[in-house]
Amino acid sequence: MKTYAGKVRALAGISFTVETGTIFGLLGPNGAGKSTTVKILTTLSRPDSGSAEVAGIDVLQQPDQVRRLIGYVSQKPQFDPEATARENLHLQGRLYGVPHRELRSRSQALLDHFGLGKVASRQARGYSGGMQRKLDVALGLIHRPKVLFLDEPTTGLDPEARASMWSEISRLAADEDVTILLTTHYLDEADQLASQLAIIDHGRLVAQGSPNDLKSELRGDAIQVELTQAGVDDHVRTTLVRLGGVREIVVEGTTVRARVDHGASAVPGVLAALESAGVAVTSVTISRPSLDDVYLRYAGRPFGDDSHHQAQASATTEMEVPGE
Ligand SMILES: Nc1ncnc2c1ncn2[C@@H]1O[C@H](COP(=O)(O)OP(=O)(O)OP(=O)(O)O)[C@@H](O)[C@H]1O
Ligand SMILES: [Mg+2]
């Protein structure tokens, strides 16, 4: 449990375990509590109650030991913009006590891995957003951490920079046996990288499993209907509810999403009902469940219904990362 300034309840019961050498994704909308979770696990913030272990070490009892084992890449840039990439890495390495003769080769290896070799002697302030983010991740790795925390490593990156960040993150887990906890807003990122993921919303864990587990939890097909005009939410919802068999209806602007048992047989009825209710439709698509649907169902604001959340008992914050 974590409450900021005595009033903002950021976390209200989260528990998960991450297996060594795997990538765990923490998904959730803005303000869900992702960064707060990461800050507690990296010893930067203390929970009001509950406990957490990283690499088998208690973050509250032995924070110094935890800090030596982990790398942390915060959501906000951490590098010194006045210094070059190489200088940043050397400084960080000295802070972490990396032996002098190892520091040069370690820095060079990281510069090469992240494609920063060519710009290593230029001030970091002049780097592109993607290069700056890569430098931040490289800084988190200088002391060869066993566990790496990445808070939104790819937010704001273009597709190419994201793809190269993804391959570097996968490589770290696969080849160097680094255990990685990453937070993200991107479903494709979680799907691509994480072997296990948790969706959090309003400081609570609302779903957990492998991307495939979560997808297969959803019954039936997703249908998406595009309307010609927005602002008819209630009208659309009432019409579809009356039809029966249409579940989890979400209206956002001109987009209506819902779930039905058999897409192909349900669509004609949906369209007819909307037409007779005077709602004009531009297109309709049917799809098998995707991680998007899982996310919408669990963390989509329309489902972030507080009465539902209150039904769950308030629990403590128990986090164990990873089981060694
Ligand atoms: N230092 C702070 N002081 C007060 N409230 C805070 C502080 N940090 C976070 N909060 C609040 O705690 C809640 C969770 O915030 P947190 O930063 O953990 O969310 P997040 O999931 O990381 O969101 P985002 O996707 O926007 O980064 C929010 O309501 C936020 O406003
Ligand atoms: Mg955050």
Side-chain angles (χ1 to χ4, degrees), residues 4 8 10 28-37 39 75 151-152 185:
Y4 284 112
V8 183
N30 286 128
K34 301 181 297 298
S35 295
T36 303
T37 304
K39 281 179 195 151
Q75 193 171 348
D151 200 354
E152 299 194 20
H185 291 280

Side-chain angles (χ1 to χ4, degrees), residues 6-212:
K7 28 182 202 289
V8 183
R9 172 155 303 178
L11 290 183
I14 283 184
S15 177
F16 59 86
T17 308
V18 180
E19 213 176 299
T20 307
T22 64
I23 303 179
F24 189 91
L26 208 52
L27 272 167
N30 286 128
K34 301 181 297 298
S35 295
T36 303
T37 304
V38 170
K39 281 179 195 151
I40 290 172
L41 292 174
T42 53
T43 77
L44 296 170
S45 180
R46 284 181 74 88
D48 310 334
S49 63
S51 64
E53 281 180 15
V54 172
I57 301 169
D58 192 303
V59 297
L60 294 172
Q61 312 277 328
Q62 295 175 293
D64 292 341
Q65 258 182 282
V66 169
R67 264 175 235 145
R68 250 173 270 146
L69 286 172
I70 62 170
Y72 167 55
V73 180
S74 99
Q75 193 171 348
K76 296 186 190 112
Q78 296 295 306
F79 63 87
D80 175 358
E82 308 300 330
T84 70
R86 202 183 301 277
E87 287 163 355
N88 267 289
L89 286 163
H90 284 185
L91 179 63
Q92 183 90 350
R94 283 199 291 275
L95 285 175
Y96 276 93
V98 177
H100 192 66
R101 56 198 145 68
E102 210 186 300
L103 190 51
R104 282 185 91 104
S105 56
R106 180 70 182 150
S107 300
Q108 190 57 50
L110 285 167
L111 290 168
D112 292 342
H113 270 307
F114 286 95
L116 295 171
K118 283 200 184 124
V119 297
S121 304
R122 274 172 34 197
Q123 273 191 328
R125 65 155 69 239
Y127 295 178
S128 72
M131 288 150 85
Q132 292 183 341
R133 202 64 186 131
K134 285 177 184 170
L135 174 56
D136 263 332
V137 178
L139 289 173
L141 287 165
I142 190 78
H143 56 299
R144 297 185 186 277
K146 292 178 114 177
V147 183
L148 180 65
F149 293 88
L150 297 172
D151 200 354
E152 299 194 20
T154 65
T155 297
L157 299 192
D158 71 24
E160 200 190 328
R162 280 179 81 203
S164 76
M165 184 72 91
W166 284 1
S167 64
E168 194 48 33
I169 293 171
S170 308
R171 197 194 62 77
L172 284 165
D175 298 354
E176 299 193 19
D177 213 29
V178 180
T179 304
I180 299 175
L181 186 141
L182 68 86
T183 76
T184 183
H185 291 280
Y186 301 120
L187 295 149
D188 55 343
E189 183 159 301
D191 207 356
Q192 170 97 19
L193 292 177
S195 53
Q196 292 287 311
L197 53 92
I199 299 175
I200 62 174
D201 190 24
H202 291 111
R204 288 178 195 281
L205 202 146
V206 291
Q208 186 175 2
S210 72
N212 280 334

